[in-house]
Amino acid sequence: MKFFVDTADTAEIADLAATGMVDGVTTNPSLIKKSGRDIMEVTKEICGLTEGPVSAEVVALDHETMMKEAEVLRKIADNVCIKVPLTIDGLKTCKALTGEGTMVNVTLCFSANQALLAAKAGASFISPFVGRHDDNGLDGMTLIEDIRLIYDNYAFDTEILVASIRHPIHVLESARIGADVATMPPAVIRNLFKHVLTDKGIEGFLKDWADTGQNIG
Ligand code: G3P
């Protein structure tokens, strides 16, 4: 499963990229606001920190203006992936851009039928929001299961990019279901490495090793 970082914080991306676990980055207007940076400048910097897709989101609501914004964003770098909302105009834009060979990530997906429409529009990625689903008393992982089943039934190429991830169990369940990508805030990625028994085991080994009085090399 590919791991994307869900942030526009370039220091965090650079630090996590050094672990070799970063296969791409997702941003959105809220994350750009949080970074306090200019969208063109920060997206360009992010595109230099990973070879993988970097999702940059249009903010227009009509197809024509979305196409104009996409034209500006995709000129930033070859690994820019245009993010569009799951609306009729968003899917029109998705179909037009993927028809021209541009990567498109369809975002704000909350139903399997929406994901089916995005696949029919040729989306490169679909972003179902599991955390926001859970926030509203719905089961986000059931949504991923349904999308996986439907996409496999019809052999759609669209990759399932699980978004709005809040904790490592979302990642575990996404992997069990066979999602293609999980995009996570930096803190969630770091938590994936952690296990109390790993720490305890290291502590025990180091204590026993110290008792030997030996050194390696
Ligand atoms: O990429 C979408 C993601 O940033 C939304 O996450 O935690 O605001 O639901 P959240």
Side-chain angles (χ1 to χ4, degrees):
M1 183 164 73
K2 286 177 256 184
F3 287 176
F4 290 1
V5 191
D6 198 28
T7 185
D9 182 328
T10 50
E12 288 274 34
I13 297 167
D15 184 53
L16 286 165
T19 69
M21 296 297 156
V22 173
D23 303 302
V25 176
T26 52
T27 70
N28 62 44
S30 304
L31 293 171
I32 297 292
K33 177 187 174 192
K34 198 172 168 192
S35 76
R37 306 264 312 266
D38 169 81
I39 187 171
M40 300 302 287
E41 185 199 297
V42 74
T43 303
K44 187 168 180 55
E45 190 178 333
I46 294 171
C47 288
L49 293 170
T50 177
E51 288 171 7
V54 174
S55 290
E57 191 163 339
V58 298
V59 292
L61 297 176
D62 67 288
H63 168 57
E64 205 184 322
T65 319
M66 283 183 191
M67 289 301 288
K68 290 192 181 120
E69 291 180 352
E71 192 53 36
V72 173
L73 293 172
R74 67 181 170 185
K75 284 197 180 114
I76 295 172
D78 293 345
N79 55 335
V80 163
C81 174
I82 301 297
K83 222 179 187 183
V84 298
L86 213 147
T87 61
I88 291 176
D89 283 76
L91 293 187
K92 272 191 203 169
T93 306
C94 173
K95 204 165 176 64
L97 291 173
T98 51
E100 296 166 0
T102 298
M103 284 188 286
V104 173
N105 176 0
V106 178
T107 189
L108 291 167
C109 170
F110 292 98
S111 79
N113 282 331
Q114 285 183 318
L116 179 53
L117 288 164
K120 287 174 68 65
S124 317
F125 300 99
I126 182 69
S127 289
F129 280 36
V130 293
R132 294 190 190 186
H133 225 63
D134 296 352
D135 294 348
N136 290 278
L138 304 161
D139 182 354
M141 298 324 293
T142 305
L143 172 60
I144 307 302
E145 278 170 0
D146 287 347
I147 298 172
R148 182 76 280 164
L149 177 65
I150 293 166
Y151 279 16
D152 292 350
N153 284 348
Y154 302 100
F156 284 121
D157 294 329
T158 302
E159 293 192 59
I160 302 174
L161 193 171
V162 182
S164 179
I165 283 179
R166 301 290 169 69
H167 47 70
I169 301 299
H170 276 154
V171 182
L172 173 66
E173 292 300 335
S174 299
R176 280 189 172 142
I177 294 165
D180 303 283
V181 189
T183 192
M184 301 163 255
V188 174
I189 295 186
R190 291 202 176 85
N191 281 341
L192 296 178
F193 290 88
K194 294 183 183 155
H195 196 293
V196 61
L197 293 179
T198 304
D199 297 343
K200 220 159 168 271
I202 290 170
E203 206 183 303
F205 285 161
L206 293 183
K207 186 176 168 305
D208 291 343
W209 179 248
D211 294 346
T212 70
Q214 297 182 42
N215 287 307
I216 297 174

